[in-house]
């Protein structure tokens, strides 16, 4: 039992398996390699956080991935659970912060997380709602991991799907690929901050 | 940049053939005919696009050879001198236009991969100071590359503020 607990602590709370997973996706799917992605992978391996508790992680947790009642705005279902796993709660939190899912306020300067509120207020409200503190270093780790994961999917896998020609939504996939360069820029900015 | 014209054309042709044409009213003959001809035209474009550069180079070379032959047998008139001048400029241009675009793309892929392997190798076998230095060089270099890709992809409409992305042509080196 003790060994099983250690296994969980290492395999699930620590995100090493996710780095391996998405690195393999990247290596199998990329059409042309990107050195920046390797800097990200190496940084992730060197900065694995320990994690403070096990949580259910959705893996694609963002606005757009839920259903709600128009009458009262109540969320009635969360969608797209195919990347769900047991892991660190900071992963979904960091995912929500990704710029692809929000936009700027009318002043053109304040970035609104998921179009709701600014980053500091968003994190403060998370802490208030959950009673759990946000660890900045862990949050940063998952920001890099999520950006790397999304870059692997959109920059690596999307063109591979188009080349394979086995999908009926190839034109949509082309648009998904176009997002990859915004993710790469966000990844570059976060790496510039942490390296 | 993976969305190269050949891949975009393949994708559009497949989407039209798989999804759009089957949905056209079978009794609307003009619409069906136009859709099928549109796909046929895109197929022609797709097959010829990779040869476009070689075609233009061959075309120029053919007229240089014809011009030189005519000029050598002609008199020293203004028209002859004009042909000689243009042939001389075109010869110099052909000398600069020897590499095939596909070859350039392959070399770029090779170099991207070699640099990525180098980044991993330094991180694995080098000291922390050197690895950090390499990482910082790569991150700094990505700024210009990412900006160019964003400018290229601007028409897709995902930029939160398109005004901050420079015009694509200002980011590409002039061909000389």
């Amino acid at each position: 039992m003790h060994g099983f607990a250690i296994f969980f602590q290492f395999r699930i709370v620590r995100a090493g398996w996710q780095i391996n997973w998405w690195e393999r996706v990247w290596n199998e799917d990329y059409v042309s390699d990107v050195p920046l992605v390797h800097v990200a992978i190496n940084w992730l391996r060197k900065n694995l956080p320990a994690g403070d508790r096990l949580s259910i992680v959705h893996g694609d947790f963002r606005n757009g991935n839920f259903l709600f009642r128009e009458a009262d705005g109540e969320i009635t279902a969360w969608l797209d659970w195919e990347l769900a796993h047991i892991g660190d709660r900071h992963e979904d939190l960091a995912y929500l912060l990704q710029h692809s899912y929000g936009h700027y306020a009318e002043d053109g300067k304040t970035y609104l997380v998921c179009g709701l509120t600014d980053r500091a207020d968003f994190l403060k409200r998370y802490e208030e709602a959950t009673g759990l503190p946000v660890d900045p270093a862990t949050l940063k780790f998952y920001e890099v991991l999520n950006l790397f994961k999304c870059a692997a999917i959109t920059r690596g896998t999307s063109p591979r799907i188009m080349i394979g020609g086995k999908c009926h939504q190839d034109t949509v996939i082309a648009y998904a690929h176009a997002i990859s360069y915004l993710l790469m820029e966000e990844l570059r900015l976060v790496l510039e901050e942490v390296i | 940049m993976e969305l190269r014209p050949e891949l975009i054309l393949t994708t559009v042709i497949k989407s039209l053939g798989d999804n759009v044409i089957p949905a056209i009213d079978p009794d609307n003959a003009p619409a069906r005919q136009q859709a099928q001809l549109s796909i046929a035209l895109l197929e022609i474009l797709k097959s010829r696009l990779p040869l476009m550069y070689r075609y233009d180079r061959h075309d120029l070379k053919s007229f240089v050879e014809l011009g030189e032959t005519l000029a050598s047998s002609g008199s020293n008139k203004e028209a002859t001198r004009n042909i000689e001048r243009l042939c001389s400029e075109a010869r110099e241009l052909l000398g600069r236009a020897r590499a095939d675009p596909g070859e350039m793309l392959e070399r770029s892929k090779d170099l991207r991969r070699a640099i990525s392997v180098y980044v991993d190798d330094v991180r694995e076998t080098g000291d922390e100071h050197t690895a950090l230095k390499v990482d910082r060089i790569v991150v700094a270099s990505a700024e210009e590359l990412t900006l160019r890709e964003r400018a290229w992809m601007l028409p897709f409409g995902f930029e939160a503020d398109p005004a901050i992305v420079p015009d694509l042509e200002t980011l590409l080196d002039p061909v000389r």
Side-chain angles (χ1 to χ4, degrees):
Chain A
M1 195 61 196
H2 178 65
F4 187 70
I6 289 173
F7 173 80
F8 256 63
Q9 179 73 15
F10 187 73
R11 279 291 307 279
I12 297 179
V13 177
R14 289 173 71 87
W17 67 275
Q18 286 211 73
I19 305 170
N20 294 340
W21 174 0
W22 294 108
E23 183 183 23
R24 181 163 174 181
V25 168
W26 174 256
N27 284 329
E28 288 185 1
D29 286 352
Y30 75 75
V31 177
S32 57
D33 210 343
V34 179
L36 185 74
V37 166
H38 291 260
V39 173
I41 294 168
N42 293 331
W43 183 86
L44 287 166
R45 287 203 196 291
K46 201 167 169 284
N47 290 277
L48 273 172
D52 58 358
R53 60 197 292 129
L54 292 174
S55 304
I56 294 173
V57 177
H58 180 280
D60 192 5
F61 196 66
R62 58 181 170 83
N63 52 352
N65 255 352
F66 58 79
L67 302 177
F68 68 102
R69 271 197 307 263
E70 283 197 55
D72 57 6
E74 182 75 19
I75 292 175
T76 53
W78 281 94
L79 309 174
D80 287 357
W81 286 87
E82 67 273 12
L83 291 174
H85 56 274
I86 304 295
D88 191 310
R89 61 197 169 83
H90 288 84
E91 185 178 341
D92 277 346
L93 185 61
Y95 202 76
L96 289 163
L97 301 175
Q98 213 162 282
H99 277 213
S100 326
Y101 309 130
H103 57 78
Y104 285 91
E106 285 172 351
D107 65 9
K109 292 173 193 162
T110 313
Y111 173 73
L112 302 176
V113 175
C114 294
L116 298 171
T117 184
D118 67 70
R119 182 183 168 111
D121 185 51
F122 189 87
L123 295 176
K124 186 169 139 272
R125 291 205 198 187
Y126 167 86
E127 290 184 327
E128 284 168 2
T130 61
L132 298 169
V134 173
D135 178 61
T138 306
L139 188 67
K140 198 56 76 181
F141 172 86
Y142 282 103
E143 282 185 74
V144 175
L145 179 68
N146 289 334
L147 286 165
F148 160 53
K149 175 176 93 175
C150 291
I153 294 169
T154 56
R155 170 77 204 247
T157 306
S158 294
R160 180 63 63 200
I161 291 170
M162 292 164 70
I163 291 164
K166 297 287 186 289
C167 170
H168 69 287
Q169 287 196 318
D170 308 75
T171 46
V172 178
I173 299 292
Y175 274 80
H177 174 68
I179 302 169
S180 70
Y181 299 99
L182 296 175
L183 295 165
M184 284 291 185
E185 173 63 1
E186 204 177 335
L187 179 62
R188 183 190 71 77
L189 288 170
V190 180
L191 287 173
E192 204 172 56
E193 202 182 306
V194 296
I195 285 178
Chain B
M1 196 273 297
E2 322 296 32
L3 288 188
R4 306 193 70 79
E6 294 86 345
L7 182 55
I8 291 177
L9 284 169
T10 303
T11 300
V12 170
I13 290 166
K14 184 170 179 299
S15 177
L16 289 173
D18 287 358
N19 304 314
V20 179
I21 287 193
I24 297 175
D25 180 357
D27 296 327
N28 191 337
R32 289 194 74 79
Q33 186 192 50
Q34 285 297 310
Q36 280 157 354
L37 287 175
S38 296
I39 288 187
L41 278 174
L42 291 172
E43 289 279 13
I44 292 167
L45 177 61
K46 186 185 150 192
S47 72
R48 295 297 180 249
L49 196 60
L51 301 172
M52 206 65 237
Y53 185 73
R54 285 166 66 187
Y55 178 95
D56 290 339
R57 199 170 47 183
H58 184 268
D59 193 58
L60 181 60
K61 182 170 154 276
S62 302
F63 280 97
V64 165
E65 286 167 359
L66 177 61
E68 286 172 346
T69 305
L70 293 174
S72 67
S73 60
S75 58
N76 188 25
K77 287 183 178 170
E78 178 60 28
T80 311
R81 285 199 298 277
N82 194 35
I83 289 173
E84 284 171 340
R85 181 180 58 78
L86 287 171
C87 284
S88 167
E89 287 172 9
R91 278 271 176 220
E92 189 268 332
L93 180 60
L94 284 168
R96 284 192 280 121
R98 282 194 183 138
D100 192 86
E103 197 184 337
M104 208 148 53
L105 184 61
E106 286 310 310
R107 287 295 80 75
S108 172
K109 279 185 187 174
D110 292 346
L111 206 46
R112 278 169 170 271
R113 182 65 196 141
I115 291 169
S116 299
V117 169
Y118 176 76
V119 168
D120 290 346
D121 186 59
V122 170
R123 176 55 67 185
E124 219 169 281
T125 60
D127 60 280
E128 178 60 24
H129 175 74
T130 312
L132 207 55
K133 192 176 158 195
V134 167
D135 285 351
R136 284 183 178 143
I137 290 171
V138 170
V139 172
S141 137
E143 184 175 3
E144 188 188 340
L145 294 174
T146 309
L147 192 60
R148 184 199 62 195
E149 307 297 25
R150 287 168 61 201
W152 187 274
M153 294 291 176
L154 200 59
F156 281 86
F158 290 118
E159 283 289 341
D161 182 7
I164 64 166
V165 181
D167 182 51
L168 178 63
E169 287 200 27
T170 65
L171 300 172
L172 300 174
D173 296 330
V175 182
R176 272 305 299 171

